[in-house]
Amino acid sequence: MVTITPKGGAQPGAPHLMYLHGGGYVMDIAAVHWDAVAWLCEELGASASVPIYPLAPEVTAERTLAAMRSLYAELAERYGADNLTVMGDSAGGGMSLALAQEIEADGGDLPASLVLFSPWVDATASGEGQKEIEKRDRMLAVAGLDACGKLYAGALPLDDHRLSPLFGKLDGLPPMAIFSGTSDILLVDGRRLAQRLEGVGHKDYIYREYERMFHVWMLLPVPEGRKALQETVAFIRKHHGDRSE
């Protein structure tokens, strides 16, 4: 795990971020991840923990998620759960949601908020409309999702909530921000997640859909990426330390 702090150190009482990187569960963290997390830390005066988690197929969902649950418990003990935001992109977004579901199920203290960038929350790659979007998606393919999902699943079925949290329990979860782009085949995951949250009566989530934006554009130095990060900062600030409800 790597800890990031802003120049001059984290501000007293600032949030702490737990960032889970994307990469289909099979690829290492990239420079764009570090850049985005560092920018968020500077804007929020926050520190961040970035796990360098083991990759599939050598290590699969059950072990990886259990390790992240253990790490979260350590961070909650150190910083306080109501000071934590769990967030991630793509596969890391799916893992963030699955982690929150595990915490809720075992009665642990939930984080103040979740932030999901282009989240991959259905490893079955069966969302209606993905094939049509694939024609304009220059980064992802349905076949790639299928292959990576099977590698990460290990002995689990692909619709198990630990790798497909879309099918898990969604009520009782923290405030959540979801960002999707219309030129990303994972758009259908973001849309369905927002629809399911609405269906279970989740009271505090936002869903942001950016036209013509591609997979994990939030991490890139483009105007739309900076706008998404600014929205993220506002969302985290709104919910930081809030246990009033």
Side-chain angles (χ1 to χ4, degrees):
M1 183 182 73
V2 176
T3 300
I4 298 175
T5 55
K7 296 173 183 177
Q11 296 175 4
H16 185 81
L17 313 178
M18 180 180 180
Y19 193 94
L20 301 174
H21 72 84
Y25 303 111
V26 301
M27 290 183 283
D28 287 321
I29 192 168
V32 291
H33 295 112
W34 296 119
D35 291 344
V37 175
W39 189 91
L40 289 169
C41 286
E42 289 291 337
E43 288 295 304
L44 288 162
S47 52
S49 295
V50 184
I52 310 300
Y53 58 82
L55 302 175
E58 288 75 18
V59 179
T60 54
E62 288 185 86
R63 284 177 56 193
T64 300
L65 193 58
M68 295 304 99
R69 177 67 184 93
S70 179
L71 175 58
Y72 174 85
E74 294 177 14
L75 295 176
E77 178 69 23
R78 179 174 179 182
Y79 298 100
D82 60 349
N83 288 320
L84 292 178
T85 289
V86 176
M87 60 188 304
D89 65 282
S90 193
M95 194 189 302
S96 296
L97 181 57
L99 174 58
Q101 291 172 335
E102 293 289 289
I103 298 164
E104 194 277 335
D106 66 25
D109 292 328
L110 288 160
S113 61
L114 300 174
V115 178
L116 314 179
F117 294 152
S118 298
W120 183 21
V121 294
D122 176 9
T124 70
S126 60
E128 185 178 351
Q130 282 189 322
K131 282 292 187 181
E132 182 62 31
I133 300 170
E134 187 177 46
K135 298 172 184 177
R136 60 180 185 272
D137 187 330
R138 299 186 179 185
M139 296 184 67
L140 300 181
V142 174
L145 295 183
D146 181 66
C148 290
K150 288 175 180 176
L151 290 174
Y152 183 59
L156 297 176
L158 289 175
D159 61 355
D160 188 285
H161 70 273
R162 284 166 286 186
L163 57 149
S164 292
L166 178 68
F167 307 126
K169 184 173 181 286
L170 293 175
D171 49 330
L173 296 183
M176 194 180 313
I178 307 158
F179 293 83
S180 297
T182 62
S183 293
D184 178 0
I185 59 173
L186 293 183
L187 170 69
V188 300
D189 284 32
R191 283 180 174 175
R192 286 183 294 160
L193 176 56
Q195 290 166 357
R196 284 213 58 210
L197 289 170
E198 190 70 23
V200 301
H202 194 290
K203 300 297 184 184
D204 202 345
Y205 77 91
I206 62 170
Y207 174 67
R208 297 290 184 262
E209 187 173 295
Y210 280 52
E211 288 293 326
R212 297 185 299 278
M213 294 314 294
F214 43 85
H215 190 56
V216 296
W217 86 90
M218 317 84 177
L219 308 183
L220 298 180
V222 297
E224 295 87 350
R226 187 52 47 88
K227 180 180 178 182
L229 291 185
Q230 289 168 341
E231 287 192 86
T232 298
V233 166
F235 182 82
I236 292 172
R237 282 180 175 154
K238 177 182 178 182
H239 298 288
H240 170 55
D242 183 9
R243 283 291 184 266
S244 58
E245 298 185 357

